[in-house]
Amino acid sequence: MKTVLSYITLVLLIVSCSNNTSNGLLMPTSSTIKIDDDDTKDSIIVKAAHVVPTKNQYKALKNEFIAFIHFGPNTFTRMEWGNGFEDPKIFDLKTLDTDQWCKAMKAANMKKVILTVKHHEGFVLWQSRYTKHGIMSTDFQNGKGDILRDLSNSCQKYGLKLGVYLSPADLYQIENKDGLYGNLSKYSDRVIPRPVEGRPFKNKTTFTFNVDDYNEYFLNQLFELLTEYGPIHEVWFDGAHPKRKGGQKYNYLAWKELISELAPEAVVFGKQDIRWCGNEAGATRDTEWNVIPYQGNPLEMNSFADITGEDIGSREKLYDAKYLHYQQAETNTSIREGWFYRDDTSQKVRSVDDVFDMYERSVGGNTTFLLNIPPNREGKFSPEDVRVLNEVGERINKTYNVNLFANASGFKNVLDEDVTTYELLDADVKEIIVETKKPITINRIVIQEAIATHSERVEKHALDAWVDGSWKEIAAATNVGYKRILRFPETTSNKFRIRVLQSRLSPAISNVTGHYYKTRPPQLSITRSLDGQVSIQPKKHDFGWKPHGEDSAGNLNRALEIRYTTDGSEPTKDSKLFNESFLATSGEIKAAAFSKDQKGSVVSKKLGILKNDWKIIKVDSWSFANKSDLAIDENPDTYWRSGEKGSPHFLELDLGKSYTLKAFAYTPQKEDANGMIEKGTIKVSNDGRNWKTIDGFEFGNLINDPVTRTHQFKSAVTTQYIRIESKVIAGGKKTAAIAELDFFE
Ligand code: FUL
């Protein structure tokens, strides 16, 4: 019987596809659709074309650009991950200006902010009834301060939504002797919230859940967060765990029940609503599907694995599904190197170009852009972060608030800038033609599908412009979904055409707008060869994204000049002109590209000591393709990897002559999550044989964020021989790997 029904569905589909009056829907839509045993490949695709976001998911997508705030003890210890042993007094905050945060986020066009109210070390930033490990045990406002309260008030003032990051991993509850995490307590019925004398709740709702001590603690804290700080729009559950204990399980289904009751407008990150994009570098997939195949029913699942593959929702992937589920990604990354603030001198801040590029790739690639801005130890965003946010906001407004198709003719429902109206492309030739009254010059087009009613259906599309009497293809891409931003060299025409080349049923296009972005001089990159020759060149696009016209002839940047300084000062039009590589042995190089009337982003590189005389004295072991000299070849794409056996793994270096060293930088390899040196020891020697420990180092979160890390030595050390030893390898792995080592005077 079911087979017959599936067949009928297909026939209906074919009939309705050629029927202009149809609304393009063949079955009810839902955010989760089950695949039946007798579903065929075709009927699976029909189902996929009816998977839509929930109301909350759709609203979350419409926020587009949102903020993350990482703040806590790590801001003061300068660590990426804490350890749970921190004395709360370490959080030595004297001033706090959440209005300043909100003003800057608002200027950037952000719509929501998510605060780390508890990061992995377990310190809480609000006045919780259930622990003393937090803001209440600091001197900040005599222990009465509440950072979430201040932020919530500022959010209301500036019209921003609020979210909370509550880390399931909790090192304080793991390490302290009365800690609740993994304490093997019995599961029993517990009433949430647990009453605390003298601290009644205004909200009288109660829940009873069968949970253990840590889950009870977690639920009590969620109750506080979701009832005492105004509406909460997102709850962020990080999957990362520096450590685990006692087989601690998380009763997410209980957490979820509490969240849906107390924060009905909230989306949950890391669970069924929103998934991690799979990296922390701001990389985006060329094709980002939000209709995702699952083996279990996501609505009943207690835990969700990270999805990191390149292809996650193509037809081939969907054919293996038992459930199809709408689950959007957040592209999350930090405006600074690392998630927490360290300093304003050596911790790099991303350029405006970089952030704007990520904005276009992520929002215009069917995801939400979640950008972290870590406040400094004065409780403010640092001036450079504010500058970048302001300028990004200005670029977004100037580019995307001006629709050059505003008075164009074509499908009314597509050009009306109303996402609730759409044009169903159900003819054989699926295309949209937009004609403007006069020729216009554009280099961006935004396309949106009516995903709330019709799911994401476009699989392949192209954009043409009418140039010199014929259509010329100017851009092509794969899916669309919530939003696709197409970037292409400046094109002048009065007629543009979007062709849908492949789709899941008839796509419903809700919006097409045309824009002009004033292209800037390109970003640069600085490299140095082993013998110290410095080159400065336009940066290659990190994520395989096609350059959007910066380097196409006639578009811009004729008469482009690269100017640089070697003394750490800001490059100007009068700085030295770069035309060939030059020798530099130390110091800091800063460079920028200049066009006739514009200056590009400044790029800088601190130079470590020259490596041409370095020799490897000894390593404990190496693996075939990853010999030890690859750790010191000035090429971060090649690396040394030790064998698995033996501990510690080590690498000993002869620097050729004696130097007074103040810091070293470790660049991990990025090919896999194996070999990241999380903790280690630095030793020096007079003869290259007898070694003495001078310092230890620790780098948190390397697996998710495998970027270069710098460690300042406790005190400067003068030596010719130096040895790096591994103590802990991230993720419990057994080999050590180094892509590049640098030492700084
Ligand atoms: C990761 C964490 O370990 C980082 O510290 C940071 O919070 C990032 C957003 O998620 O998994």
Side-chain angles (χ1 to χ4, degrees):
M1 180 61 181
K2 267 196 180 160
T3 323
V4 176
L5 277 180
S6 295
Y7 177 73
I8 292 171
T9 310
L10 261 181
V11 172
L12 273 174
L13 155 73
I14 292 155
V15 171
S16 90
C17 278
S18 53
N19 171 0
N20 279 332
T21 58
S22 135
N23 67 359
L25 296 173
L26 305 174
M27 59 186 285
T29 57
S30 171
S31 62
T32 309
I33 298 183
K34 190 173 182 302
I35 302 299
D36 295 312
D37 291 344
D38 57 357
D39 266 318
T40 60
K41 285 186 172 174
D42 288 340
S43 67
I44 289 174
I45 297 307
V46 172
K47 287 187 168 176
H50 291 80
V51 177
V52 297
T54 63
K55 280 206 173 71
N56 283 353
Q57 285 177 314
Y58 189 51
K59 279 192 192 151
L61 277 165
K62 289 208 275 188
N63 292 328
E64 300 197 347
F65 189 15
I66 62 177
F68 224 163
I69 304 269
H70 278 63
F71 197 38
N74 298 349
T75 311
F76 293 85
T77 58
R78 297 161 171 77
M79 301 301 287
E80 274 301 297
W81 278 353
N83 54 28
F85 293 107
E86 292 87 1
D87 177 345
K89 294 271 192 265
I90 249 177
F91 189 81
D92 186 20
L93 189 66
K94 304 247 170 14
T95 51
L96 176 71
D97 190 352
T98 50
D99 272 4
Q100 185 245 14
W101 305 357
C102 289
K103 204 169 154 208
M105 295 184 290
K106 192 79 187 171
N109 253 304
M110 292 166 146
K111 301 288 186 300
K112 177 162 71 183
V113 50
I114 301 165
L115 174 68
T116 55
V117 293
K118 180 186 81 163
H119 201 251
H120 305 331
E121 84 292 314
F123 178 98
V124 302
L125 294 183
W126 80 101
Q127 291 287 339
S128 174
R129 294 161 178 77
Y130 302 100
T131 183
K132 287 273 160 274
H133 191 66
I135 194 82
M136 64 293 280
S137 303
T138 70
D139 293 335
F140 178 60
Q141 297 178 353
N142 294 321
K144 300 274 181 303
D146 187 322
I147 294 173
L148 185 61
R149 169 82 53 229
D150 278 35
L151 180 58
S152 153
N153 290 341
S154 300
C155 280
Q156 279 183 16
K157 192 160 151 193
Y158 286 89
L160 285 163
K161 293 175 193 161
L162 181 63
V164 289
Y165 166 118
L166 187 69
S167 171
D170 188 325
L171 291 163
Y172 179 75
Q173 296 297 339
I174 287 181
E175 306 288 6
N176 113 57
K177 74 173 171 21
D178 303 318
L180 305 173
Y181 190 110
N183 68 354
L184 307 179
S185 53
K186 287 233 166 61
Y187 272 66
S188 59
D189 283 350
R190 323 245 176 149
V191 175
I192 307 293
R194 181 166 58 71
V196 173
E197 230 189 285
R199 301 274 313 265
F201 284 98
K202 271 205 194 121
N203 186 316
K204 298 296 173 204
T205 318
T206 58
F207 301 81
T208 303
F209 294 115
N210 193 269
V211 287
D212 63 357
D213 288 355
Y214 185 66
N215 279 287
E216 182 194 342
Y217 174 68
F218 204 84
L219 286 158
N220 279 325
Q221 293 201 322
L222 271 177
F223 192 95
E224 295 180 311
L225 295 169
L226 303 182
T227 58
E228 302 194 312
Y229 295 89
I232 297 294
H233 283 94
E234 182 155 349
V235 184
W236 221 89
F237 293 131
D238 199 329
H241 282 80
K243 203 167 182 177
R244 294 190 185 254
K245 186 178 156 194
Q248 181 65 53
K249 295 246 166 9
Y250 303 134
N251 294 110
Y252 169 63
L253 291 176
W255 306 358
K256 170 167 144 177
E257 193 181 321
L258 185 124
I259 297 168
S260 23
E261 179 71 27
L262 300 177
E265 291 169 282
V267 279
V268 181
F269 174 93
K271 303 294 172 190
Q272 85 224 20
D273 293 335
I274 304 191
R275 68 196 151 83
W276 182 42
C277 66
N279 71 89
E280 294 183 357
T284 45
R285 295 182 176 89
D286 289 344
T287 310
E288 185 75 58
W289 288 109
N290 288 338
V291 175
I292 307 290
Y294 269 100
Q295 292 303 311
N297 183 352
L299 303 180
E300 292 163 7
M301 275 161 61
N302 196 44
S303 72
F304 288 75
D306 287 338
I307 302 175
T308 53
E310 186 53 34
D311 172 9
I312 61 178
S314 67
R315 288 185 183 225
E316 287 308 315
K317 296 279 173 195
L318 300 188
Y319 295 151
D320 289 336
K322 299 266 187 312
Y323 289 85
L324 300 175
H325 178 63
Y326 195 91
Q327 194 186 29
Q328 66 232 39
E330 275 175 6
T331 302
N332 67 327
T333 194
S334 183
I335 199 167
R336 285 177 167 253
E337 277 172 347
W339 291 95
F340 288 88
Y341 176 85
R342 287 195 289 278
D343 59 61
D344 284 330
T345 45
S346 62
Q347 187 182 20
K348 282 200 180 142
V349 178
R350 284 182 187 272
S351 66
V352 179
D353 289 343
D354 223 3
V355 176
F356 186 74
D357 170 59
M358 287 190 296
Y359 168 87
E360 293 194 312
R361 281 188 287 107
S362 55
V363 175
N366 205 21
T367 77
T368 304
F369 185 21
L370 171 57
L371 179 70
N372 177 62
I373 315 103
N376 60 26
R377 288 181 285 281
E378 274 78 57
K380 290 179 91 168
F381 287 175
S382 279
E384 179 62 4
D385 309 41
V386 173
R387 187 190 72 80
V388 172
L389 291 177
N390 284 336
E391 214 181 307
V392 166
E394 208 180 298
R395 286 194 198 181
I396 293 174
N397 289 337
K398 283 202 174 137
T399 310
Y400 291 105
N401 284 356
V402 183
N403 174 17
L404 295 166
F405 287 170
N407 298 312
S409 52
F411 291 126
K412 187 177 151 299
N413 290 336
V414 167
L415 295 173
D416 61 4
E417 292 184 48
D418 176 353
V419 286
T420 61
T421 62
Y422 59 84
E423 183 70 29
L424 189 73
L425 299 187
D426 55 2
D428 287 346
V429 177
K430 301 184 185 321
E431 61 179 38
I432 293 170
I433 295 178
V434 179
E435 219 173 324
T436 55
K437 296 204 172 72
K438 285 193 201 131
I440 54 167
T441 300
I442 56 173
N443 53 11
R444 300 287 192 275
I445 274 193
V446 176
I447 311 174
Q448 291 190 277
E449 282 185 77
I451 54 162
T453 50
H454 286 74
S455 184
E456 40 186 34
R457 296 182 170 188
V458 175
E459 293 178 306
K460 229 175 173 185
H461 64 289
L463 172 70
D464 307 323
W466 186 258
V467 182
D468 296 336
S470 67
W471 288 114
K472 183 179 160 224
E473 185 173 305
I474 52 175
T478 51
N479 70 327
V480 172
Y482 171 72
K483 189 176 264 195
R484 167 69 79 172
I485 297 179
L486 289 173
R487 308 190 285 194
F488 45 89
E490 288 172 19
T491 303
T492 304
S493 177
N494 66 336
K495 235 158 77 172
F496 298 88
R497 176 173 76 172
I498 293 164
R499 280 173 292 132
V500 175
L501 302 167
Q502 195 183 313
S503 65
R504 300 169 180 179
L505 311 194
S506 303
I509 307 296
S510 66
N511 245 346
V512 173
T513 51
H515 306 272
Y516 177 74
Y517 171 69
K518 184 172 178 216
T519 313
R520 269 73 180 175
Q523 298 206 74
L524 302 174
S525 74
I526 302 174
T527 50
R528 187 173 64 159
S529 66
L530 272 177
D531 56 1
Q533 289 294 320
V534 172
S535 296
I536 311 171
Q537 54 276 310
K539 187 175 159 192
K540 282 206 196 92
H541 282 252
D542 285 349
F543 309 118
W545 189 268
K546 291 183 199 80
H548 29 111
E550 288 108 331
D551 45 6
S552 71
N555 194 28
L556 172 96
N557 300 339
R558 288 155 292 182
L560 191 81
E561 287 177 350
I562 296 177
R563 301 268 172 180
Y564 70 97
T565 62
T566 52
D567 58 2
S569 63
E570 213 38 34
T572 66
K573 270 209 128 168
D574 300 323
S575 302
K576 263 185 238 158
L577 178 70
F578 174 82
N579 39 30
E580 57 181 341
S581 65
F582 59 93
L583 181 72
T585 50
S586 62
E588 185 172 9
I589 312 280
K590 284 193 172 171
F594 292 82
S595 63
K596 224 168 56 216
D597 56 345
Q598 293 187 85
K599 177 178 177 180
S601 310
V602 175
V603 62
S604 72
K605 186 178 171 80
K606 282 217 170 84
L607 300 174
I609 58 172
L610 262 195
K611 300 185 188 175
N612 52 349
D613 289 334
W614 294 14
K615 279 193 195 67
I616 306 247
I617 306 172
K618 205 165 155 192
V619 283
D620 68 287
S621 57
W622 65 86
S623 45
F624 182 64
N626 304 103
K627 299 261 164 44
S628 53
D629 48 350
L630 300 176
I632 55 167
D633 63 351
E634 289 282 12
N635 180 358
D637 298 331
T638 61
Y639 60 94
W640 160 64
R641 194 203 290 279
S642 73
E644 291 215 336
K645 289 209 184 99
S647 164
H649 297 300
F650 64 86
L651 182 145
E652 293 171 356
L653 273 178
D654 174 353
L655 304 177
K657 65 176 193 194
S658 183
Y659 292 92
T660 300
L661 305 174
K662 293 198 181 124
F664 91 100
Y666 165 57
T667 305
Q669 60 83 20
K670 294 192 177 68
E671 265 178 15
D672 52 32
N674 190 355
M676 314 275 176
I677 308 180
E678 187 173 308
K679 284 188 193 170
T681 312
I682 302 284
K683 295 184 170 173
V684 296
S685 161
N686 289 329
D687 54 8
R689 282 192 297 275
N690 301 302
W691 299 94
K692 177 175 103 208
T693 302
I694 56 135
D695 207 353
F697 61 88
E698 185 173 343
F699 303 126
N701 198 28
L702 278 168
I703 292 183
N704 287 333
D705 195 15
V707 295
T708 302
R709 307 299 179 96
T710 305
H711 173 83
Q712 309 285 335
F713 294 140
K714 273 197 231 121
S715 50
V717 54
T718 304
T719 188
Q720 176 171 346
Y721 305 102
I722 196 150
R723 167 174 158 132
I724 310 277
E725 241 178 59
S726 68
K727 227 157 124 185
V728 176
I729 309 288
K733 295 283 194 293
K734 298 220 158 36
T735 69
I738 299 179
E740 211 55 40
L741 271 184
D742 287 279
F743 294 94
F744 301 92
E745 285 183 299

